[in-house]
Amino acid sequence: MQIKYTQLDQDQFTQRTLGPKSGYRIETESILLEPLLLDRDAPKLWELVKDHSKLFEYMPHGPCNNYEDFYAIQKRFCSAPDHFNWAVYLLAGTKKQKVLCGSICLLDISLPFRRFEVGSIWFHPAVHSTFVMLETTYTLLRFSFEQLQAGRVQWKTHHQNIASQKSALKLGFDFDGVHRKHIIHYNGQWRNTYYYSMTDDDWFGNEVTTDGRPGLDVIKPTQEEVWRQESKGRQLRLEQLIQARKHEGKPLPESVQHGVALTALTA
């Protein structure tokens, strides 16, 4: 799958948390990740999400009741020393018209240890169960492993968020374990956090040794891990999954395929 990286001018994005790799626009045939420029993008994202507060049900901050609350959360994210945010666009139709459809972030950024987390993901309900989530996450994973030279990318989720847990496994993340009573949510309830991860060895299809060093016995894969060797890496497997979803899965709304904004659809 072809991917294009474009370094934007300094005045076109808010955050600098990825060092010289900050401000990269990332583009595939169908998806564009635009680095967030807070005052430009927050109003557009709010219009997209304001009637769909349940999208934030499992996030620590919870649903947003008004634009002021939503903006405050986006501003806090943009001020965090270990976050980087992108607005997600569909590239629709033959003219590749930009249709805003959601948001995705890198969290827990550790440049010295080349460790990142894909998270704070949400999309307009009209694109749920389509290829959009898969290809958006694929795009950010490629950026992480190719441009940031990530050794590890993680995914974590609320213990009750079954859809997110299933997505992690579908994307190729391995389940690492549960951090019990990890976070107190906006509603005062404890959250147990499910952790998943993927390494550069997993992504590129390199052999994994018993303690990570070359020249040792290679771990025999379990039945569930056989697909790694068959597809020669999770990048290729995820590309195959995306193509299958595009051809056989739920289609995008016809109007969106022609470039109509998701905010124009009825809830």
Side-chain angles (χ1 to χ4, degrees):
M1 186 179 294
Q2 296 295 315
I3 195 164
K4 179 182 179 181
Y5 302 112
T6 304
Q7 175 69 67
L8 302 182
D9 292 336
Q10 295 285 315
D11 61 353
Q12 295 185 56
F13 58 96
T14 298
Q15 296 154 288
R16 304 291 188 270
T17 49
L18 294 174
K21 297 295 184 179
S22 301
Y24 267 57
R25 175 188 291 146
I26 318 168
E27 183 177 348
T28 64
E29 180 184 9
S30 305
I31 294 291
L32 184 144
L33 271 56
E34 188 78 22
L36 196 74
L37 185 60
L38 179 60
D39 290 333
R40 177 194 67 194
D41 295 327
K44 300 175 186 177
L45 291 169
W46 172 247
E47 287 300 313
L48 189 68
V49 78
K50 65 181 182 180
D51 295 323
H52 308 286
S53 61
K54 284 185 68 67
L55 293 175
F56 301 109
E57 179 180 5
Y58 294 115
M59 295 187 183
H61 56 71
C64 301
N65 297 317
N66 51 60
Y67 175 68
E68 290 71 25
D69 289 347
F70 180 79
Y71 181 87
I73 291 168
Q74 297 304 308
K75 185 177 181 180
R76 187 169 75 244
F77 273 33
C78 286
S79 301
D82 60 351
H83 287 32
F84 197 96
N85 298 35
W86 285 266
V88 181
Y89 290 85
L90 277 164
L91 299 177
T94 56
K95 296 183 179 180
K96 301 298 180 185
Q97 295 170 273
K98 292 170 57 178
V99 178
L100 183 64
C101 65
S103 179
I104 193 169
C105 305
L106 282 181
L107 313 171
D108 282 347
I109 294 169
S110 175
L111 295 178
F113 297 110
R114 308 206 318 264
R115 184 181 67 237
F116 309 91
E117 176 185 328
V118 175
S120 194
I121 305 168
W122 60 266
F123 297 102
H124 189 281
V127 304
H128 286 186
S129 301
T130 68
F131 70 90
V132 171
M133 183 280 292
L134 293 175
E135 188 160 337
T136 299
T137 310
Y138 163 88
T139 303
L140 196 50
L141 285 170
R142 276 200 60 180
F143 174 71
S144 299
F145 288 118
E146 291 182 355
Q147 296 295 318
L148 301 177
Q149 299 183 337
R152 168 190 168 92
V153 178
Q154 71 181 24
W155 175 291
K156 66 177 188 278
T157 185
H158 194 293
H159 64 279
Q160 294 179 334
N161 192 347
I162 305 302
S164 180
Q165 295 164 29
K166 290 181 177 179
S167 293
L169 297 174
K170 184 174 295 184
L171 288 160
F173 288 88
D174 287 333
F175 177 60
D176 287 342
V178 181
H179 286 204
R180 297 178 298 165
K181 290 193 172 182
H182 179 229
I183 294 173
I184 298 177
H185 261 232
Y186 67 95
N187 57 7
Q189 295 182 355
W190 282 106
R191 156 177 152 166
N192 302 322
T193 300
Y194 281 51
Y195 271 79
Y196 301 81
S197 68
M198 187 186 305
T199 69
D200 51 352
D201 297 305
D202 301 327
W203 183 252
F204 293 113
N206 298 329
E207 291 182 335
V208 181
T209 58
T210 52
D211 71 350
R213 292 181 296 170
L216 301 177
D217 292 335
V218 175
I219 298 173
K220 185 177 180 180
T222 63
Q223 187 63 36
E224 292 77 13
E225 294 172 323
V226 168
W227 56 264
R228 296 187 203 173
Q229 295 181 355
E230 293 176 346
S231 64
K232 302 186 187 303
R234 302 187 196 186
Q235 175 182 342
L236 179 57
R237 177 185 178 273
L238 188 49
E239 290 174 357
Q240 294 168 342
L241 187 61
I242 292 166
Q243 292 306 318
R245 181 65 62 88
K246 285 182 174 180
H247 290 100
E248 303 168 8
K250 176 185 173 182
L252 294 169
E254 186 173 353
S255 59
V256 174
Q257 295 181 39
H258 292 89
V260 175
L262 286 165
T263 51
L265 303 182
T266 56

